[in-house]
Structure formats: structure tokens, C-alpha cells
Amino acid sequence: MSIFFEKTNKKKSSTPFIILKLLLLGLMITMLVMAILNGIDIFYVKLVFVFVGINSIVEGIESYLQKESKKIIRREIGLGILYILFAIILQ
């Protein structure tokens, strides 16, 4: 089983991070519903990508505060920046 599934020792998220992630998730779902109701309006899709990027950057900050490896922190922040850049590039 350990071949396919990696064991992680990630600590439990603190309450402010959980609240922030749930708020971002709610905003993403709301923006997706608004995009569907408005005929797949690209403005709302861009906002979803921005919120996903912010969520990833928040996870990177949380990883930094939990003293995880620099590789994990860079990956999370890099993905967040990539999502935000993708939202800017989208037309």
C-alpha cells in the first residue's frame, strides 16, 4: 500500500485557516453558479481562478507556519501564482 499512497504528517489546520478556506470555497461555488446563470461569463470564471490561486497561496503560508519543507511551500505558492496568472491571461 505504501507504494501508491504517501504518508503525510501534516498537522491539523488552525481555525482561522479553516474559516478562510471555507469562505474561499463558498465564493468559488457562488462564482461558478453566477457564471452558469450568465451564460458562462468569463469574468466569473476569472474570479474562480483568482480564488483558487489565493487558496493555494494560503495553503503555502500555512505550510510555512507548520515548518514543512521548502519544496512543499514553493510548490503551493508557485501553483497559486500560476492560477492567478492564468486568470489574468484569460480573455
Side-chain angles (χ1 to χ4, degrees):
M1 285 299 276
S2 65
I3 294 174
F4 299 109
F5 300 101
E6 179 182 350
K7 283 188 175 181
T8 58
N9 295 331
K10 188 168 183 169
K11 297 176 185 173
K12 188 176 179 183
S13 296
S14 61
T15 306
F17 284 110
I18 293 172
I19 292 171
L20 186 58
K21 288 178 186 179
L22 288 175
L23 179 66
L24 286 169
L25 181 67
L27 286 170
M28 284 186 270
I29 292 171
T30 304
M31 291 302 127
L32 282 174
V33 169
M34 291 295 292
I36 291 170
L37 292 177
N38 290 324
I40 310 298
D41 190 5
I42 197 71
F43 175 75
Y44 296 113
V45 177
K46 283 182 178 184
L47 283 177
V48 169
F49 279 111
V50 169
F51 290 143
V52 170
I54 292 171
N55 191 22
S56 184
I57 291 172
V58 166
E59 287 180 9
I61 293 169
E62 183 180 14
S63 297
Y64 173 75
L65 293 175
Q66 292 180 353
K67 309 268 192 255
E68 292 192 20
S69 70
K70 292 185 190 268
K71 182 179 176 183
I72 295 173
I73 297 167
R74 286 186 200 130
R75 182 184 63 208
E76 294 292 335
I77 292 177
L79 277 174
I81 292 170
L82 187 67
Y83 279 124
I84 292 172
L85 286 176
F86 186 68
I88 292 171
I89 294 170
L90 253 168
Q91 290 198 12

